[in-house]
């Protein structure tokens, strides 16, 4: 039985999944690593910790591969991070991550040099603090002694590809989140980079997600217990790979996904590169050769986890039961889920969360209910931007928060769109493995691979009536908060 290994380099750990040619999970392994926050707003990780995790998951998988022919490995991982390599391929400093906010000044400068409408026209997005390109400018400005030693800047998953196969390469889905790629022509935008004082040679070779970028080095093959030279496939950024794992692509029009993980993510496929003119949601390349829209609420299940820690005496199940007993609207209590700033549709890293409308009548259950509703309403605002650009007939729900019927009902009400629950394995590692099965010829096309491996989806709870009526008050509270931050320099 032929099989592929998908690797997903997440923010909290590395996941490896073995997927056979019939789309069945045969084995998996995980390894964690620390997240460092040396200053407020900074998040980074040590690429050497990723290498140690890679060795750990390979050792865990090796005894589980009996009876399987591993035909390839596919890559996925957190987008937007920056791994700065010298000419010998050594990381020069810890890698700033997707949610790192140190580049606010660089983002402002970028939009002074290249106006926001022009950036959106070229790259599909405005300048965003979390993207990789502002991180490169930050290093050049603050650490010129290190910057002159930079030979190549890789995305996190592509650093795994460099370790495994010696390749300094990337693919369109992840590269479109750098902030430096001409999204229509799918090339590094030399004119844009020149205007910013950079050169295209800093960035790796571009290509399709299913292409082979190299063969597995002997030292890694020995750890995994397979032959050296097993093909390593470029893969995709985590959101695009996760969408493939769900069977979401240009071949399944009108179906998107909504993830209730640490962050909340809305994903909608798109045939042509059509950005929101104001850049309120992201436009990226999809791993299927087309495009997709992406809207992100940075603190979704992360907001619920934050609140849960404030009540250590109660289990999560207890808190959710209390929230279910509270009425819709939580007696006028609103929660704005901006605990880590906000991405879509405000692009404001300084935004902070708030409970608004608190009174003596409110209990713990009302607080939990307000958090669930606040996240749903936040994603509802994002959906209203996206639905004018792409078809949205149904969303497949994933992530830990999708296990709550109450949360899914609130979400379906806010989105005004059916939300389905996925049965079985899902995630970016699955999508990376599917791309490896295509890249190594097990499937002749991605469309056929997705048709064969698509997981089952069942109806979620019906949309909760009345959720949409909460949106005007929610948006009014957000506008009040935005005005405060707009007054600050």
């Amino acid at each position: 039985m032929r099989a592929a290994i998908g690797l997903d380099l997440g923010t909290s750990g590395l996941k490896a999944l073995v997927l056979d040619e019939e789309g069945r999970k045969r084995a998996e392994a995980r390894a964690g690593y620390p997240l460092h926050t040396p200053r407020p707003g900074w998040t980074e990780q040590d690429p050497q910790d990723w290498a140690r995790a890679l060795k750990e998951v390979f050792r865990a998988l090796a005894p589980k591969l009996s009876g399987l022919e591993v035909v390839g490995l596919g890559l996925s991982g957190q987008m937007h991070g920056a791994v700065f390599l010298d000419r010998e391929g050594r990381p020069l400093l810890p890698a700033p991550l997707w949610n790192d906010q140190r580049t606010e000044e660089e983002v402002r400068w970028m939009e002074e040099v290249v106006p926001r409408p022009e950036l959106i026209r070229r790259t599909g997005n405005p300048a965003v603090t979390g993207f990789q390109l502002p991180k490169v400018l930050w290093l050049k400005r603050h650490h010129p002694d290190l910057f002159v030693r930079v030979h190549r800047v890789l995305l996190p998953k592509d650093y795994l590809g460099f370790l495994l196969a010696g390749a300094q390469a990337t693919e369109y889905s992840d590269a479109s989140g750098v902030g430096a790629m001409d999204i229509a022509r799918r090339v590094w935008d030399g004119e844009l980079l020149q205007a910013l004082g950079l050169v295209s040679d800093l960035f790796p070779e571009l290509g399709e997600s299913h292409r082979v970028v190299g063969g597995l080095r002997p030292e890694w093959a020995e750890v995994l217990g397979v032959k050296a030279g097993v093909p390593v496939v470029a893969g995709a950024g985590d959101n695009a790979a996760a969408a493939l794992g769900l069977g979401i692509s240009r071949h399944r029009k009108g179906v998107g996904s909504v993830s209730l993980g640490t962050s909340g993510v809305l994903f909608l496929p798109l045939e042509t590169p059509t950005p929101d003119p104001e850049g309120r949601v992201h436009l990226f390349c999809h791993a299927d050769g087309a495009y997709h829209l992406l809207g992100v609420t940075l603190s979704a299940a992360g907001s619920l986890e934050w609140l849960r820690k404030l009540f250590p005496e109660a289990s999560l199940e207890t808190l959710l039961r209390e929230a279910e007993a509270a009425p819709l609207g939580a007696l006028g209590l609103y929660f704005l889920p901006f605990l880590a700033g906000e991405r879509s549709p405000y692009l404001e890293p300084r935004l902070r969360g708030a409970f608004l409308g608190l009174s003596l009548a409110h209990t713990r259950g009302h607080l939990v209910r307000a958090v669930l509703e606040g996240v749903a309403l936040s994603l509802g605002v994002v959906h209203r931007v996206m639905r004018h650009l792409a078809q949205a007939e149904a969303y497949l729900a994933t992530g830990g928060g999708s296990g709550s019927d109450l949360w899914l009902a609130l979400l379906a009400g806010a989105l005004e769109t059916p939300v389905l629950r996925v049965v079985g394995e899902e995630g970016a590692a699955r999508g990376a493995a599917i791309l490896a099965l295509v890249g190594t010829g097990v499937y002749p096309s991605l469309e056929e691979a997705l048709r064969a491996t698509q997981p089952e989806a069942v109806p979620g709870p019906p949309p909760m009536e009345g959720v949409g009526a909460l949106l005007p008050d929610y948006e009014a509270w957000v506008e009040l908060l935005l005005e405060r931050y707009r007054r600050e320099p």
Side-chain angles (χ1 to χ4, degrees):
M1 177 66 74
R2 293 175 295 180
I5 296 173
L7 297 169
D8 176 24
L9 186 78
T11 311
S12 59
L14 175 68
K15 177 180 179 180
L17 176 76
V18 182
L19 194 73
D20 71 24
E21 57 191 297
E22 296 178 358
R24 297 173 300 190
K25 181 179 74 170
R26 302 297 292 265
E28 66 179 346
R30 299 172 188 267
Y33 33 74
L35 173 70
H36 303 291
T37 54
R39 298 187 191 179
W42 290 29
T43 59
E44 56 188 39
Q45 286 175 332
D46 186 344
Q48 293 181 348
D49 288 336
W50 298 340
R52 283 189 283 270
L54 185 59
K55 187 167 290 187
E56 188 177 335
V57 297
F58 273 17
R59 284 174 175 160
L61 279 186
K64 303 176 184 179
L65 299 178
S66 177
L68 296 173
E69 179 194 356
V70 176
V71 297
L73 296 93
L75 307 173
S76 183
Q78 50 177 298
M79 296 176 68
H80 313 309
V83 184
F84 297 100
L85 300 182
D86 65 14
R87 287 193 174 275
E88 284 70 46
R90 296 174 301 206
L92 290 166
L93 68 157
L97 303 187
W98 60 275
N99 51 357
D100 187 283
Q101 301 291 345
R102 74 184 71 180
T103 61
E104 194 173 341
E105 291 182 13
E106 284 70 30
V107 162
R108 270 199 298 269
W109 179 76
M110 281 179 64
E111 294 196 345
E112 289 173 5
V113 175
V114 183
R116 176 174 287 200
E118 180 69 4
L119 277 173
I120 293 171
R121 186 187 70 79
R122 287 175 174 270
T123 71
N125 298 280
V128 179
T129 50
F131 280 18
Q132 189 193 81
L133 182 58
K135 297 177 174 70
V136 177
L137 295 171
W138 175 87
L139 186 69
K140 182 181 180 183
R141 177 184 178 190
H142 293 276
H143 298 281
D145 54 326
L146 285 177
F147 182 78
V148 297
R149 296 170 55 195
V150 175
H151 175 65
R152 196 80 76 227
V153 189
L154 297 184
L155 291 152
K157 79 166 191 330
D158 300 325
Y159 180 67
L160 292 188
F162 173 65
L163 291 176
L164 293 173
Q168 294 188 1
T170 191
E171 45 70 48
Y172 301 128
S173 74
D174 215 356
S176 56
V178 166
M181 195 183 90
D182 183 318
I183 199 161
R185 295 190 299 130
R186 298 184 178 228
V187 297
W188 297 120
D189 193 324
E191 289 183 1
L192 169 64
L193 291 169
Q194 184 178 17
L196 299 173
L198 301 173
V199 294
S200 301
D201 287 347
L202 275 174
F203 302 95
E205 168 200 345
L206 284 162
E208 298 287 347
S209 292
H210 61 269
R211 85 189 192 286
V212 175
V213 296
L216 189 63
R217 286 173 157 173
E219 60 268 31
W220 288 103
E222 183 179 357
V223 178
L224 187 57
V226 299
K227 294 182 299 183
V230 169
V232 176
V233 169
D238 54 359
N239 289 297
L244 294 186
L246 295 169
I248 295 173
S249 75
R250 68 197 306 177
H251 310 296
R252 197 179 178 189
K253 297 187 186 305
V255 179
S257 66
V258 55
S259 172
L260 284 175
T262 300
S263 60
V265 180
L266 285 183
F267 182 108
L268 272 180
L270 192 65
E271 192 67 33
T272 57
T274 310
D276 173 57
E278 299 174 48
R280 294 171 295 174
V281 293
H282 300 310
L283 172 65
F284 296 135
C285 295
H286 195 4
D288 63 356
Y291 299 87
H292 69 86
L293 297 172
L294 194 77
V296 182
T297 289
L298 288 176
S299 298
S303 292
L304 182 60
E305 177 63 13
W306 165 79
L307 187 67
R308 186 192 66 79
K309 289 178 180 177
L310 299 183
F311 301 110
E313 71 281 1
S315 67
L316 181 59
E317 292 74 18
T318 297
L319 295 176
L320 290 174
R321 278 198 303 271
E322 292 177 358
E324 194 165 2
L328 180 69
L331 298 181
L333 180 62
Y334 285 83
F335 175 72
L336 308 187
F338 311 138
L339 302 181
E342 192 53 293
R343 186 80 67 84
S344 309
Y346 311 111
L347 295 175
E348 180 49 81
R350 296 176 296 173
L351 268 180
R352 291 296 177 263
F355 280 107
L356 297 158
L358 271 171
S359 75
L360 294 172
H362 288 116
T363 65
R364 185 172 67 185
H366 294 104
L367 294 177
V368 181
R369 177 85 185 209
V371 166
L372 302 181
E373 291 180 356
V375 171
L377 292 170
S378 177
L379 289 167
V381 172
V382 175
H383 169 76
R384 291 188 175 200
V385 175
M386 293 172 67
R387 69 183 179 184
H388 297 295
L389 302 167
Q391 191 177 358
E393 296 175 359
Y395 284 102
L396 305 184
T398 66
S402 67
S404 165
D405 282 349
L406 171 60
W407 215 349
L408 280 196
L410 289 166
L411 186 60
L415 299 177
E416 300 174 326
T417 306
V419 175
L420 310 179
R421 187 175 269 135
V422 177
V423 178
E425 182 71 29
E426 43 86 8
R430 179 181 175 87
I434 291 170
L435 285 168
L437 291 172
V438 176
T440 55
V442 174
Y443 287 101
S445 70
L446 181 60
E447 183 177 3
E448 291 186 48
L450 295 179
R451 192 181 303 121
T453 59
Q454 178 178 305
E456 181 186 358
V458 298
M464 188 170 293
E465 294 184 8
V467 179
L470 301 174
L471 269 168
D473 281 347
Y474 172 85
E475 291 188 281
W477 282 121
V478 174
E479 189 59 32
L480 193 66
L481 205 60
L482 282 168
E483 282 300 319
R484 176 193 182 280
Y485 288 103
R486 287 173 184 144
R487 289 196 301 268
E488 294 182 357

